[in-house]
């Protein structure tokens, strides 16, 4: 596996490749990330991964400096997966001058859910993803469904900007007890780790109620939030949305069985967890 930090060197290395599959990450790789590499391999060749902790998507009170960085362990894992190139730029490589041009997603998609609680987050995500795609120029790029809103925003951005990159969605990988795999799970204490699967359990309960025909959306969301609060969580939201645009479902959507998704974000101790479940 070649490790490259310079953008021009990366482009030279990939020159002439027409089927490149790309998996962008922020490192601290776990089995969820590695499953993305395997999916990428089924959709293209060669596979290029990136590791870059993107300062632009961290808010002023968020954990940029604390974000876990495990570069050598990540390299070992990617080599075992047969990744061809690891693009590992420094901040100076990615942002040699102030990044004054930014990509702003539409408010109805980027300003809700995560965008409401993390202002500027998707601005930073879209800007770095567009820049990474420009560097790698892949035919396909793989994003996980765990970050469901991010997946939808990136997919829409690529379509509207006519980028020649197809976005492939990968299913969320989970531990045996249901907890979605996440780099931030390392922040959980043993007691919090034992409690953490409750988030997915609550999402399953909400989904079961919807499938059973209980369509008072507001009541279902409120009950789910209350259940987590009683167990010591601090929920930001539990919200039922339409899959295709992440807007709240209307009565007609419920009658027509429009595909829905229930999304959640909640703090457990000092760790903020997100998850979702398609309905």
């Amino acid at each position: 596996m070649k490790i490259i930090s310079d953008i021009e060197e990366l482009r030279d290395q990939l020159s002439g490749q027409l089927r490149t599959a790309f998996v962008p990450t922020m490192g601290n790789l776990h089995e969820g990330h590695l499953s993305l590499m395997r999916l990428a391999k089924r959709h293209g060749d060669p596979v290029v991964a990136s590791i870059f902790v993107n300062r632009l998507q961290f808010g002023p009170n968020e954990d940029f400096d604390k974000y876990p960085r495990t570069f050598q362990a990540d390299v070992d894992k990617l080599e075992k997966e047969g990744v061809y190139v690891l693009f590992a730029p420094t901040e100076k490589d990615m942002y040699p001058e102030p990044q004054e041009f930014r990509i702003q997603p539409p408010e109805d998609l980027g300003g809700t859910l995560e965008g409401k609680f993390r202002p500027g987050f998707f601005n930073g995500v879209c800007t770095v993803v567009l820049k990474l795609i420009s560097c790698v120029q892949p035919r396909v790029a793989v994003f996980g469904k765990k970050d469901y809103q991010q997946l939808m925003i990136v997919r829409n951005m690529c379509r509207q900007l006519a980028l020649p990159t197809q976005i492939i969605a990968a299913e969320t990988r989970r531990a045996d007890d249901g907890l979605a795999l996440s780099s931030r799970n390392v922040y959980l204490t043993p007691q919090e780790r034992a409690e953490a699967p409750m988030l997915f359990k609550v999402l399953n309960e909400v989904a079961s109620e919807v499938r059973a025909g209980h369509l008072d959306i507001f009541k279902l969301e409120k009950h789910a939030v209350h259940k987590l609060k009683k167990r010591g969580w601090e929920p930001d939201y539990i919200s039922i949305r339409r899959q295709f645009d992440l807007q709240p479902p209307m009565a007609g959507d419920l009658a027509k069985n429009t595909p829905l998704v229930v999304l959640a974000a909640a703090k457990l101790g000092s760790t903020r967890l997100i998850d979702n479940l398609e309905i």
Side-chain angles (χ1 to χ4, degrees):
M1 182 177 73
K2 295 177 175 64
I3 302 174
I4 298 174
S5 61
D6 181 76
I7 293 173
E8 291 307 317
E9 183 184 346
L10 176 74
R11 287 175 172 159
D12 287 345
Q13 183 67 44
L14 297 176
S15 178
Q17 299 285 1
L18 301 179
R19 299 185 62 251
T20 301
F22 177 45
V23 185
T25 83
M26 294 207 301
N28 192 31
L29 303 182
H30 50 67
E31 179 59 29
H33 294 111
L34 302 183
S35 72
L36 304 185
M37 308 299 162
R38 294 168 202 143
L39 181 60
K41 196 177 295 185
R42 296 204 297 270
H43 286 273
D45 180 56
V47 173
V48 176
S50 67
I51 293 177
F52 181 66
V53 183
N54 177 40
R55 188 184 295 271
L56 297 187
Q57 69 194 65
F58 286 79
N61 298 314
E62 295 184 335
D63 55 356
F64 175 79
D65 291 322
K66 291 196 308 175
Y67 194 85
R69 292 161 171 85
T70 55
F71 187 75
Q72 189 53 55
D74 294 344
V75 167
D76 294 342
K77 292 173 183 176
L78 293 175
E79 285 184 326
K80 288 179 181 176
E81 295 298 331
V83 169
Y84 175 61
V85 168
L86 168 59
F87 180 44
T90 65
E91 283 196 283
K92 190 170 183 180
D93 291 312
M94 282 298 285
Y95 304 125
E97 58 186 277
Q99 187 66 41
E100 295 167 340
F101 287 87
R102 304 285 184 98
I103 300 297
Q104 180 67 51
E107 184 64 22
D108 62 345
L109 186 57
T112 187
L113 301 170
E114 286 297 281
K116 178 181 177 182
F117 287 91
R118 301 180 68 188
F121 171 66
F122 287 120
N123 179 301
V125 168
C126 289
T127 301
V128 77
V129 168
L130 180 61
K131 197 160 189 176
L132 287 168
I133 286 176
S134 173
C135 295
V136 178
Q137 301 179 23
R139 187 179 69 87
V140 300
V142 180
F143 287 78
K145 284 188 179 181
K146 177 183 168 291
D147 298 293
Y148 202 89
Q149 188 176 8
Q150 172 179 279
L151 167 66
M152 295 300 174
I153 288 173
V154 168
R155 179 174 279 165
N156 287 358
M157 177 185 74
C158 289
R159 186 185 70 249
Q160 288 198 9
L161 295 180
L163 301 183
T165 301
Q166 178 188 1
I167 302 301
I168 304 293
E171 297 297 330
T172 302
R173 292 299 295 266
R174 300 183 180 278
D176 291 342
D177 57 9
L179 177 64
L181 300 186
S182 169
S183 297
R184 287 189 168 92
N185 290 352
V186 299
Y187 298 149
L188 297 168
T189 67
Q191 295 81 4
E192 290 165 352
R193 177 60 186 83
E195 170 65 20
M198 181 55 61
L199 185 62
F200 187 52
K201 183 177 180 182
V202 167
L203 292 181
N204 272 285
E205 291 172 355
V206 171
S208 295
E209 291 291 323
V210 173
R211 294 187 188 110
H214 300 163
L215 301 181
D216 187 337
I217 298 299
F218 177 75
K219 185 175 180 180
L220 291 176
E221 293 171 345
K222 186 176 180 182
H223 177 73
V225 166
H226 180 66
K227 183 166 186 174
L228 286 182
K229 282 184 174 178
K230 282 203 310 182
R231 300 181 65 93
W233 293 69
E234 299 176 34
D236 282 341
Y237 59 83
I238 296 178
S239 188
I240 300 167
R241 300 295 179 102
R242 298 186 300 215
Q243 287 184 23
F244 71 92
D245 64 358
L246 295 187
Q247 294 304 299
M250 309 297 286
D253 296 315
L254 300 173
K256 292 185 294 185
N257 293 320
T258 297
L260 304 176
V261 58
V262 54
L263 307 103
K267 283 184 72 174
L268 182 58
S270 61
T271 306
R272 187 174 185 271
L273 301 177
I274 65 170
D275 205 347
N276 65 82
L277 182 63
E278 292 179 326
I279 304 175

